[in-house]
mmCIF file of all heavy atoms in Angstrom:
data_model
loop_
_atom_site.group_PDB
_atom_site.id
_atom_site.type_symbol
_atom_site.label_atom_id
_atom_site.label_comp_id
_atom_site.label_asym_id
_atom_site.label_seq_id
_atom_site.Cartn_x
_atom_site.Cartn_y
_atom_site.Cartn_z
ATOM 1 N N TRP A 362 -18.036 -127.750 -6.418
ATOM 2 C CA TRP A 362 -19.031 -127.621 -5.364
ATOM 3 C C TRP A 362 -18.660 -128.474 -4.156
ATOM 4 O O TRP A 362 -18.865 -128.062 -3.013
ATOM 5 C CB TRP A 362 -20.408 -128.004 -5.895
ATOM 6 C CG TRP A 362 -21.465 -128.084 -4.834
ATOM 7 C CD1 TRP A 362 -22.219 -129.150 -4.477
ATOM 8 C CD2 TRP A 362 -21.879 -127.015 -3.962
ATOM 9 N NE1 TRP A 362 -23.080 -128.836 -3.459
ATOM 10 C CE2 TRP A 362 -22.891 -127.530 -3.109
ATOM 11 C CE3 TRP A 362 -21.490 -125.689 -3.812
ATOM 12 C CZ2 TRP A 362 -23.519 -126.766 -2.145
ATOM 13 C CZ3 TRP A 362 -22.112 -124.921 -2.840
ATOM 14 C CH2 TRP A 362 -23.116 -125.451 -2.016
ATOM 15 N N ASP A 363 -18.115 -129.644 -4.377
ATOM 16 C CA ASP A 363 -17.716 -130.504 -3.265
ATOM 17 C C ASP A 363 -16.669 -129.821 -2.392
ATOM 18 O O ASP A 363 -16.669 -129.988 -1.166
ATOM 19 C CB ASP A 363 -17.168 -131.830 -3.796
ATOM 20 C CG ASP A 363 -18.271 -132.737 -4.328
ATOM 21 O OD1 ASP A 363 -19.438 -132.528 -3.940
ATOM 22 O OD2 ASP A 363 -17.971 -133.629 -5.142
ATOM 23 N N SER A 364 -15.774 -129.051 -3.012
ATOM 24 C CA SER A 364 -14.763 -128.326 -2.239
ATOM 25 C C SER A 364 -15.369 -127.130 -1.532
ATOM 26 O O SER A 364 -15.053 -126.855 -0.372
ATOM 27 C CB SER A 364 -13.627 -127.876 -3.155
ATOM 28 O OG SER A 364 -12.964 -128.983 -3.733
ATOM 29 N N ALA A 365 -16.230 -126.400 -2.230
ATOM 30 C CA ALA A 365 -16.805 -125.183 -1.666
ATOM 31 C C ALA A 365 -17.747 -125.470 -0.506
ATOM 32 O O ALA A 365 -17.816 -124.707 0.460
ATOM 33 C CB ALA A 365 -17.544 -124.405 -2.754
ATOM 34 N N ARG A 366 -18.466 -126.585 -0.560
ATOM 35 C CA ARG A 366 -19.490 -126.862 0.445
ATOM 36 C C ARG A 366 -18.895 -127.290 1.787
ATOM 37 O O ARG A 366 -19.586 -127.236 2.817
ATOM 38 C CB ARG A 366 -20.432 -127.952 -0.053
ATOM 39 C CG ARG A 366 -19.799 -129.319 -0.161
ATOM 40 C CD ARG A 366 -20.655 -130.317 -0.913
ATOM 41 N NE ARG A 366 -21.992 -130.461 -0.336
ATOM 42 C CZ ARG A 366 -22.938 -131.246 -0.850
ATOM 43 N NH1 ARG A 366 -22.690 -131.931 -1.958
ATOM 44 N NH2 ARG A 366 -24.108 -131.351 -0.267
ATOM 45 N N ILE A 367 -17.625 -127.680 1.793
ATOM 46 C CA ILE A 367 -16.999 -128.137 3.046
ATOM 47 C C ILE A 367 -17.015 -127.047 4.106
ATOM 48 O O ILE A 367 -17.194 -127.316 5.303
ATOM 49 C CB ILE A 367 -15.554 -128.603 2.772
ATOM 50 C CG1 ILE A 367 -15.556 -129.842 1.869
ATOM 51 C CG2 ILE A 367 -14.817 -128.886 4.072
ATOM 52 C CD1 ILE A 367 -14.176 -130.298 1.459
ATOM 53 N N LEU A 368 -16.851 -125.796 3.677
ATOM 54 C CA LEU A 368 -16.747 -124.677 4.619
ATOM 55 C C LEU A 368 -18.074 -123.973 4.871
ATOM 56 O O LEU A 368 -18.103 -122.933 5.527
ATOM 57 C CB LEU A 368 -15.717 -123.667 4.102
ATOM 58 C CG LEU A 368 -14.285 -124.201 3.920
ATOM 59 C CD1 LEU A 368 -13.390 -123.134 3.328
ATOM 60 C CD2 LEU A 368 -13.735 -124.706 5.253
ATOM 61 N N LEU A 369 -19.159 -124.528 4.387
ATOM 62 C CA LEU A 369 -20.453 -123.873 4.572
ATOM 63 C C LEU A 369 -21.025 -124.150 5.956
ATOM 64 O O LEU A 369 -21.016 -125.291 6.426
ATOM 65 C CB LEU A 369 -21.453 -124.360 3.513
ATOM 66 C CG LEU A 369 -21.128 -124.048 2.059
ATOM 67 C CD1 LEU A 369 -22.247 -124.551 1.157
ATOM 68 C CD2 LEU A 369 -20.913 -122.556 1.851
ATOM 69 N N PRO A 370 -21.537 -123.114 6.627
ATOM 70 C CA PRO A 370 -22.153 -123.320 7.947
ATOM 71 C C PRO A 370 -23.579 -123.853 7.810
ATOM 72 O O PRO A 370 -24.202 -123.767 6.753
ATOM 73 C CB PRO A 370 -22.151 -121.906 8.533
ATOM 74 C CG PRO A 370 -22.295 -121.019 7.333
ATOM 75 C CD PRO A 370 -21.524 -121.695 6.227
ATOM 76 N N SER A 371 -24.100 -124.406 8.899
ATOM 77 C CA SER A 371 -25.507 -124.803 8.953
ATOM 78 C C SER A 371 -26.340 -123.593 9.342
ATOM 79 O O SER A 371 -25.939 -122.797 10.198
ATOM 80 C CB SER A 371 -25.706 -125.931 9.969
ATOM 81 O OG SER A 371 -24.990 -127.091 9.586
ATOM 82 N N LEU A 372 -27.505 -123.450 8.734
ATOM 83 C CA LEU A 372 -28.351 -122.286 8.982
ATOM 84 C C LEU A 372 -29.671 -122.686 9.610
ATOM 85 O O LEU A 372 -30.153 -123.815 9.432
ATOM 86 C CB LEU A 372 -28.637 -121.545 7.666
ATOM 87 C CG LEU A 372 -27.443 -121.102 6.823
ATOM 88 C CD1 LEU A 372 -27.928 -120.298 5.623
ATOM 89 C CD2 LEU A 372 -26.462 -120.296 7.644
ATOM 90 N N GLN A 373 -30.263 -121.746 10.339
ATOM 91 C CA GLN A 373 -31.595 -121.930 10.909
ATOM 92 C C GLN A 373 -32.671 -121.333 10.009
ATOM 93 O O GLN A 373 -33.823 -121.758 10.063
ATOM 94 C CB GLN A 373 -31.670 -121.275 12.292
ATOM 95 C CG GLN A 373 -30.725 -121.889 13.318
ATOM 96 C CD GLN A 373 -30.792 -121.172 14.658
ATOM 97 O OE1 GLN A 373 -31.347 -120.075 14.757
ATOM 98 N NE2 GLN A 373 -30.229 -121.794 15.693
#
Side-chain angles (χ1 to χ4, degrees):
W362 172 240
D363 286 339
S364 298
R366 69 192 304 178
I367 295 175
L368 300 177
L369 297 182
S371 297
L372 305 184
Q373 297 178 346

